[in-house]
């Protein structure tokens, strides 16, 4: 069947697929990575910068089940008994570096996998160690990702006591049929009852993940999902069209005809519009490419700080972060991670130096992620800004960007194609910045 090109905007994307992940948008920036062999030495020599905003990311790569669509780094089992102790040990090792212990952290994010597969005691001890070993801002945003069924009443009450103030629940859909297809546990009614209980327990900032355009999803099912979102009075939602990862169980099911095929791009666009039409009318506003929030209920500081080139202290197997001008990754292999944490240095092995060129490009892509670009962001490039001006002009002609007096904003179509636009900017920025010297003072 030939492709319907009417949905593909003009000159840039005609031959490419819609990118659905911000990692793809950022991928050209790998050009600015260079291996950093001495991560501990780097930390010792960093001087404290109190103006720098910081986050902490804690990766818990365990899940009690394998969702059929998922390709994330996760292990299908409960965390081993020592996992929370390894994280505590990691926190204490990092805290021995003045740069880490004295900087102020504005946001903490427990991600996975499913962080709530850890025991209540383990999670509580991690939260307490973070407070006793590091410096948290009094109003720090503390997020825990969870599934409805791993978030027990005991954990809800412990989170309340320990200052967790943002819950991100992987619901994906309220349709019982859809939930079975995606490998999610429990019925829609059980999900609704649990979220109602969480809200009644006093959590204001509760959001969910929603997947749309999964195989066989009808418009009626999507409308019911949106009705549930409206009636549960959620602070926000992240909405993703289903990505059919070649290694996922769902991919095999689609390819062997065990379930319906994935809806085409036209259906994806129609469903995307349905979500925005209904929820914007309902008072939600656009925060970033895949995020809608209720005004003054959720500002998602964690992701803002990362795009502003703030620090992220990453902990746990498979976690990735940044301290100063080094980006680093913990091994996703549990045994290697355990050995590294227990070694005399106690720090991960893979670090990559970046420089101001990465920061310039990353910040600009971040602004696009949040839907807006200022004219001064382009003027910064002086004589080279003509290349970016040309790109923005073409995007305006294609109906992806609109101009205002001193800034550009993504149109609805621009939001839909936002990661492609981000990647296009990243490519141009890498070309413009590559010939600049690494030392910005030269
Ligand atoms: S979608 Fe979430 S809960 Fe499901 S397997 Fe992936 S990480 Fe685990």
């Amino acid at each position: 069947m030939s492709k319907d090109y009417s949905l593909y905007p003009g000159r840039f994307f005609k031959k490419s697929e819609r990118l659905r992940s911000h990692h793809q948008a950022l991928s050209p920036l790998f050009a600015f990575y260079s291996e950093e062999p001495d991560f501990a030495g780097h930390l010792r020599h960093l001087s404290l910068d109190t103006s720098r905003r910081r986050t902490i990311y804690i990766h818990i790569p365990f899940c009690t089940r394998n969702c059929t669509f998922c390709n994330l780094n996760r292990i299908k089992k409960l965390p081993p008994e020592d996992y929370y102790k390894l994280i505590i040990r990691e926190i204490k090792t990092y805290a021995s570096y003045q740069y880490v212990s004295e900087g102020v952290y504005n946001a903490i994010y427990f991600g996975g996998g499913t962080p709530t597969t850890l025991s209540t005691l383990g999670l509580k001890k991690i939260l307490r160690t973070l407070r006793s070993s590091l410096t948290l801002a009094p109003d720090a945003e503390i997020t825990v990702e969870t599934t409805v069924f791993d978030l027990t009443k005991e954990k809800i009450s412990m989170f309340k006591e320990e200052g967790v103030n943002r819950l991100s629940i992987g619901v994906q859909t309220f349709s019982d049929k859809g939930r079975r297809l995606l490998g999610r546990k429990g019925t829609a009614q059980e999900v609704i009852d649990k979220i109602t209980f969480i809200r009644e327990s006093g959590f204001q900032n509760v959001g969910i993940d929603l997947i749309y355009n999964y195989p066989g999803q009808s418009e009626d099912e999507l409308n019911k999902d949106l009705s549930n979102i409206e009636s549960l009075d959620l602070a926000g939602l992240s909405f993703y069209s289903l990505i059919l990862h070649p290694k996922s169980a769902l991919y095999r099911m689609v390819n062997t005809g065990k379930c319906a095929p994935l809806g085409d791009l036209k259906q994806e666009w129609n469903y995307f519009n349905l979500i925005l039409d209904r929820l914007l009318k309902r008072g939600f506003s656009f925060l970033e490419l895949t995020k809608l929030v209720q005004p003054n209920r959720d500002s998602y500081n964690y992701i803002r700080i990362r795009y502003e080139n703030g620090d992220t202290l990453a902990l746990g197997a498979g976690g990735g972060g940044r301290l100063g001008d080094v980006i680093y990754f913990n091994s996703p292999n549990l045994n290697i991670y355990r050995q590294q944490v227990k070694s005399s240095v106690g720090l991960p092995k893979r670090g990559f130096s970046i420089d101001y060129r990465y920061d310039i490009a990353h910040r600009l892509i971040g602004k696009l992620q949040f839907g807006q670009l200022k004219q001064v962001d382009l003027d910064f490039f002086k004589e080279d800004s003509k290349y970016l001006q040309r790109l923005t002009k073409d995007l305006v002609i294609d109906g992806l960007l609109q101009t205002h007096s001193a800034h550009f904003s993504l149109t609805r179509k621009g939001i839909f194609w936002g990661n492609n636009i981000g990647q296009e900017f990243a490519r141009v920025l890498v070309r413009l910045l590559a010939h600049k010297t690494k030392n910005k003072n030269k």
Side-chain angles (χ1 to χ4, degrees), residues 11-75:
R11 60 216 76 199
F12 299 110
F13 314 127
K14 227 170 184 147
K15 293 199 189 83
S16 65
E17 297 301 323
R18 180 185 177 225
L19 302 182
R20 295 171 178 86
S21 151
H22 66 280
H23 296 293
Q24 291 167 300
L26 292 170
S27 58
L29 304 194
F30 290 147
F32 294 129
Y33 281 31
S34 53
E35 190 98 23
E36 165 61 61
D38 181 14
F39 186 57
H42 161 74
L43 281 183
R44 258 194 309 279
H45 294 110
L46 272 176
S47 46
L48 197 62
D49 174 359
T50 49
S51 66
R52 198 175 180 94
R53 299 219 293 163
R54 297 169 178 233
T55 71
I56 299 168
Y57 176 75
I58 301 150
H59 194 64
I60 316 289
F62 305 96
C63 290
T64 46
R65 60 193 292 122
N66 269 347
C67 300
T68 56
F69 59 92
C70 183
N71 79 331
L72 294 175
N73 158 34
R74 85 283 186 209
I75 304 165

Side-chain angles (χ1 to χ4, degrees), residues 9 59 74 157 185 273 401:
H59 194 64
R74 85 283 186 209
S157 108
K185 196 171 163 192
N273 278 305
L401 269 188

Side-chain angles (χ1 to χ4, degrees), residues 88-97 341 343-347:
I88 286 174
R89 193 166 169 154
E90 234 191 322
I91 297 168
K92 290 186 173 164
T93 303
Y94 274 111
S96 66
Y97 295 87
V341 171
S343 70
S344 56
V345 179
L347 293 174

Side-chain angles (χ1 to χ4, degrees), residues 84 88 91 120-130:
Y84 82 85
I88 286 174
I91 297 168
T120 308
L121 179 73
L123 285 162
K124 183 172 173 172
K125 286 198 166 177
I126 291 171
L127 283 160
R128 292 206 166 172
T129 310
L130 289 170

Side-chain angles (χ1 to χ4, degrees), residues 405-431:
S405 56
H407 75 278
F408 302 91
S409 64
L410 292 175
T411 60
R412 170 96 52 116
K413 200 167 156 193
I415 297 170
F416 187 70
W417 288 95
N419 287 311
N420 295 70
I421 296 170
Q423 192 184 70
E424 202 56 39
F425 266 91
R427 284 194 182 125
V428 174
L429 289 165
V430 167
R431 276 204 304 276

Side-chain angles (χ1 to χ4, degrees), residues 47 66 77 151 214 250 291 311 322 354 412:
S47 46
N66 269 347
K77 64 174 189 178
L151 185 58
Y214 56 78
L250 193 58
K291 184 103 190 131
D311 277 341
R322 167 184 183 163
I354 46 168
R412 170 96 52 116

